[in-house]
Structure formats: C-alpha cells, structure tokens
Amino acid sequence: MLEPIRHILQRQRVVLASASERRQRLLSSIGVEFESISSNFLENLPKESFSHPIEYVKENAKQKAIDVWRQLAGNGGHRPDLIIGCDTVVTLDDDIYEKPKDTEDAIRILSRLSAHKHVVYTGVALVTHGTNQSSSSSVADTVCASASSHASSGDSDDGPEDYVVTTFHEGTDVYMTELSDQMIKSYVSTGEPMDKAGAYGIQGIGATLVESIRGDYFNVVGLPLHRLSKELYHMYVE
Amino acid sequence: MLEPIRHILQRQRVVLASASERRQRLLSSIGVEFESISSNFLENLPKESFSHPIEYVKENAKQKAIDVWRQLAGNGGHRPDLIIGCDTVVTLDDDIYEKPKDTEDAIRILSRLSAHKHVVYTGVALVTHGTNQSSSSSVADTVCASASSHASSGDSDDGPEDYVVTTFHEGTDVYMTELSDQMIKSYVSTGEPMDKAGAYGIQGIGATLVESIRGDYFNVVGLPLHRLSKELYHMYVE
C-alpha cells in the first residue's frame, strides 16, 4: 500500500534506528530505501515501572529513534526526514522475555513457551520534523517537542528538539508446539535462539516450533509491515 | 523440531518436487538439505470435480511428487528416499484463485480479496519407499502403491510404483486490508502479483496489504513448515 506515496518517500531521507539485519531486510522487502544507524540508547528502562509491555516497547522505540534524530539533526549535515525506531518483546502472563542471557536462560524461556500461547509486541516510533503532522485518521499517539535546549543547526529551520514523535504498537499471538527437552536442547545448540527475543527465530529453524500465529507475522520478526505502511500512508498521502 | 532426526535426514536423498524459489528458500531455512526437480505434471485437474479445495491441492501435490518419483526411480540411478510435493491455492467462498492470467485478472482477484478474509490452502505429499511406514501418531492420509506395471530398476528392491504417499494440508486465514483502486493498480504495476496464487506475495511488497493472519505464515508462502516438520519427525524418529 506504499505505492501511491512511493514518489514522496523516495525524496525523503529515511533512517532505520536499528542495526538489526532482520529489520533491515523487512524494510527493504517492502521497497523502502533507507539507511541504518544504530542508536546509543542503553535500553535499560526498568520494566516494572511500565503498566504494560506495550508502554515499555513504545518507550524503547521512541528513545532509540530520538537518540538517532539527535545524532543527525545536531551536526549541520543533511537532515533526516523520517526516523523509524522499534523494539520487540515476547510476553507470557506478566513476564517479558528479551534476548536470553546464556544457553541456560534460552532453555528456561523455551520450556516456558512450550505448548503455550504467548504474545509478541513490537513498538514503533516515527520521528519527523516539527512541521509535519500525522493525519487525523491515524490512531497512533503523537507527541510534539519544540522547546529546545539545543542550538539549531545552521541549515535547518528547526532545531534538534523540534520534532514530532508518533508511536504505535502491534501485538501478535504465537502458539508454540509442545517441545520435548531433547527438542529444546538441540534447538538451543544450533545457536539460533541467542540473539532473539523469546529465544526463538520464527524466520529460521524456529519456524518449525510454531503451530500458528494470530496477527501480523512480520511483527514477530521485528517490524509490523502493514501497520507501518498504513501510518506512513496517512502521514504522506496527498 | 527436526534437530533430533537431522542425522537421519542428512543420510537421505531428499527431493523437492518444485522449481519454486520461494519453496526452496523455505525448506533451506529450516536446515533441510535437498535437491529440486521440477515435476512434469500438467496441473490441469478439473477443480469442479473436487468436493473441496483441500482435496484439489492434495491431489496436485501427490501427482507432482509421484511424477518426480517416477522420473528418478525408474532410471537405475541413486534412488530418492523422500520426495516432497506441494500445491497452494487461495480460496474465497467457493472460488479458487491460482496465479493470475494477466494484469486484468490480477486486478480482479485483488479487488475481490480487498477487505475480506480468504483462506490459503497448501497440500503436501510425501513419497517414500514402499517399505517405509508413517507413524500411527500422524493424522495424515497414507496410500500405498505396490502392484506395479513398471519394471523394477536394476539396483533397487522395489520398483518405480512401490511407494507410499502421505498427504496432508494446512489452511491459513488471511485478512486483507481495504485496498483502493489506486493501491491495487499500483501494486499490480510492480509485477509482483503475476506469479503468485491469489495475485499477492505476502513475503514481498504484498506484506503491506495483509492486516493479519491466523494459522501458519509459511503455509501462505507455499510450504507449512511446522506441519511438514511434525510429519517428518513422526516418520523418522527412532
């Protein structure tokens, strides 16, 4: 659904605030041209201070995107037009699972997910110039920042803090099959779980462990492609 | 879930009866080593003679796999141990959608799918030697063929017709977003719909058109990876 706005997107400097190859592949797969810049945000927010994992992933996504905005907007170079930040977690009951600490942790997480439904949440933050406004047809949250303590860069009308942040999230239910101890240990021994939230990669060998999902598949991989496209469409459609 | 039987699979000659790069990528993604051989089966079965699309895709999958079995089993070479055949269709109400005939047909199909739920069915057939038996814990259909009108090949104990066919299917619900005429035409102009059942590719730009799914995502791409792994696990587990 991006084709009607692709000519606009092609004139924009789009930055993915992520070093994740999986997210880069996803964004490329829908034909968006972008560059990737890693955020320096430490991702150490206290999970327990958020009322719901949704708030946690949206805040992480926002902080990552704002960090990259500040890296780029303040140095007088070619200003970005759009920064996309994202964060993904796996949740079961009240627990949030991110990347496993070690193989023991991966075995513990997978034993917990076995034969259960869990929910994968991805929060997304879109940072644009303060003069852009999200369409009223969007149901995303929009926050403006215009009171700046930073100096404006020489070639821009607005300073590093003159931005708008639009955040949204998607949740996808994932039904994992019943895993024997042998299956879990042999899957962990492949190494695949170690850099993945929830200790499995649905786009790899982990595909064999998932009976079904309910929601956006790409949200489980790390970027909800339909919802992202819908938000961009409403943001840029003429 | 294939890790516990991977040492067995690695000793087998596995053949994917398909020239589809998408299916080849899917089977590779779960670590199965195989070769691809195209079936010569014409795929012209009369849809109306089947009581349900499930029967149609299973029969197509079976005919493709048997055709490749016969290509390989009769020529005295290295016999295959497992042939995997598959067929995928998109269905809405009583209609079956395969690849569009031309761009007009693609526009017609996408207009029909817009803002509706449709179901994607993939039928899979596994052809093995007549001496193999599927585990009783499988709920797939198994058919044996042992009365052969073909001569046995020189180096095999069983002839080209001495095989067992196990078939199964998966269905995945797909909820497509509401598409404007402009979105449909511009998507069709990318060329992506032309070689895809239902005129969209969920693993490409078409990802942006799909709000959510219910079932196995990989079944929509063309091969139900969880169910296939489960069937192979029960077939080979020691």
Side-chain angles (χ1 to χ4, degrees):
Chain A
M1 63 191 295
L2 291 176
E3 271 59 48
I5 59 159
R6 207 170 287 285
H7 61 291
I8 303 172
L9 277 176
Q10 280 167 346
R11 293 197 303 263
Q12 307 259 313
R13 183 183 183 193
V14 180
V15 177
L16 179 67
S18 172
S20 156
E21 282 185 23
R22 290 190 291 281
R23 289 203 176 100
Q24 291 169 20
R25 274 199 296 272
L26 288 179
L27 196 53
S28 292
S29 74
I30 59 169
V32 175
E33 291 173 26
F34 63 96
E35 58 199 286
S36 287
I37 296 178
S38 295
S39 154
N40 296 320
F41 174 63
L42 287 177
E43 298 189 57
N44 56 3
L45 298 173
K47 296 183 188 72
E48 60 281 4
S49 68
F50 292 87
S51 59
H52 194 280
I54 291 170
E55 301 309 319
Y56 176 72
V57 288
K58 287 203 298 191
E59 187 62 27
N60 272 330
K62 183 178 156 184
Q63 294 302 331
K64 290 180 192 178
I66 290 174
D67 176 85
V68 172
W69 176 271
R70 286 177 178 160
Q71 287 182 41
L72 297 175
N75 63 9
H78 175 37
R79 296 188 318 172
D81 298 292
L82 169 68
I83 301 206
I84 304 169
C86 346
D87 190 51
T88 302
V89 294
V90 163
T91 66
L92 179 56
D93 298 332
D94 292 333
D95 295 318
I96 293 180
Y97 297 108
E98 297 179 280
K99 293 172 187 173
K101 292 182 199 73
D102 49 35
T103 56
E104 286 304 304
D105 196 33
I107 290 170
R108 184 187 65 85
I109 295 170
L110 288 166
S111 303
R112 182 80 200 287
L113 301 183
S114 169
H116 282 86
K117 180 191 90 169
H118 63 267
V119 188
V120 178
Y121 290 107
T122 296
V124 180
L126 306 178
V127 177
T128 56
H129 295 294
T131 48
N132 286 16
Q133 287 300 325
S134 188
S135 162
S136 60
S137 58
S138 165
V139 292
D141 305 321
T142 301
V143 177
C144 302
S146 56
S148 172
S149 59
H150 292 62
S152 286
S153 56
D155 65 343
S156 62
D157 297 321
D158 44 21
E161 296 294 309
D162 197 11
Y163 54 75
V164 178
V165 186
T166 303
T167 56
F168 56 88
H169 77 280
E170 279 286 310
T172 303
D173 294 339
V174 179
Y175 299 81
M176 195 164 275
T177 198
E178 187 168 359
L179 303 172
S180 65
D181 289 348
Q182 188 196 13
M183 284 178 188
I184 291 174
K185 284 180 184 162
S186 55
Y187 176 52
V188 171
S189 72
T190 67
E192 185 177 279
M194 302 319 293
D195 64 339
K196 315 249 177 0
Y200 71 96
I202 195 170
Q203 71 288 351
I205 298 169
T208 65
L209 313 180
V210 174
E211 287 186 8
S212 69
I213 69 166
R214 190 170 180 172
D216 183 346
Y217 162 79
F218 303 100
N219 191 51
V220 184
V221 185
L223 195 58
L225 294 179
H226 169 69
R227 181 67 188 277
L228 172 66
S229 303
K230 192 174 160 186
E231 294 295 333
L232 294 177
Y233 181 83
H234 288 306
M235 192 177 273
Y236 291 116
V237 74
E238 288 169 324
Chain B
M1 63 191 294
L2 291 176
E3 270 59 47
I5 59 160
R6 206 171 288 284
H7 62 290
I8 303 172
L9 277 176
Q10 281 167 346
R11 292 197 303 264
Q12 307 259 311
R13 184 183 182 193
V14 180
V15 177
L16 179 67
S18 172
S20 156
E21 281 185 24
R22 290 191 291 282
R23 289 203 176 102
Q24 291 170 19
R25 274 198 297 272
L26 287 180
L27 196 54
S28 292
S29 74
I30 59 170
V32 175
E33 290 172 27
F34 64 95
E35 58 199 287
S36 286
I37 297 178
S38 294
S39 154
N40 296 320
F41 174 62
L42 287 176
E43 296 189 58
N44 56 3
L45 297 172
K47 296 184 187 71
E48 59 281 5
S49 68
F50 292 87
S51 60
H52 194 279
I54 291 169
E55 302 309 319
Y56 176 71
V57 288
K58 287 202 298 190
E59 188 61 27
N60 271 329
K62 183 178 156 185
Q63 294 302 331
K64 289 180 193 178
I66 290 175
D67 176 84
V68 172
W69 176 271
R70 286 177 178 160
Q71 286 181 42
L72 298 175
N75 63 9
H78 175 37
R79 298 186 318 172
D81 298 293
L82 168 68
I83 302 207
I84 304 169
C86 348
D87 190 51
T88 302
V89 295
V90 164
T91 66
L92 179 56
D93 298 332
D94 291 333
D95 295 318
I96 293 179
Y97 298 107
E98 296 178 279
K99 293 172 186 171
K101 293 182 199 75
D102 50 35
T103 56
E104 286 305 303
D105 196 33
I107 290 170
R108 183 186 66 84
I109 295 171
L110 288 165
S111 303
R112 182 79 200 288
L113 301 183
S114 170
H116 282 86
K117 180 191 91 170
H118 62 268
V119 188
V120 178
Y121 290 106
T122 296
V124 180
L126 307 178
V127 177
T128 55
H129 294 294
T131 48
N132 286 18
Q133 286 301 324
S134 188
S135 161
S136 59
S137 57
S138 165
V139 292
D141 304 320
T142 301
V143 176
C144 302
S146 57
S148 171
S149 59
H150 292 60
S152 285
S153 57
D155 65 342
S156 62
D157 297 322
D158 42 21
E161 296 294 308
D162 196 12
Y163 54 75
V164 178
V165 186
T166 302
T167 58
F168 55 88
H169 77 280
E170 279 287 312
T172 303
D173 294 340
V174 179
Y175 299 80
M176 195 164 274
T177 198
E178 188 167 358
L179 303 172
S180 65
D181 289 348
Q182 187 195 13
M183 284 178 189
I184 291 174
K185 284 179 184 163
S186 55
Y187 176 53
V188 171
S189 73
T190 67
E192 184 176 279
M194 302 317 294
D195 64 339
K196 314 245 177 5
Y200 71 96
I202 195 170
Q203 70 288 352
I205 298 168
T208 66
L209 313 181
V210 174
E211 287 186 7
S212 69
I213 69 166
R214 189 171 181 173
D216 182 346
Y217 162 79
F218 303 100
N219 191 51
V220 184
V221 184
L223 195 58
L225 294 179
H226 169 68
R227 181 66 189 276
L228 172 66
S229 302
K230 192 174 161 186
E231 294 295 332
L232 293 177
Y233 181 82
H234 288 305
M235 192 176 274
Y236 292 116
V237 73
E238 289 169 324

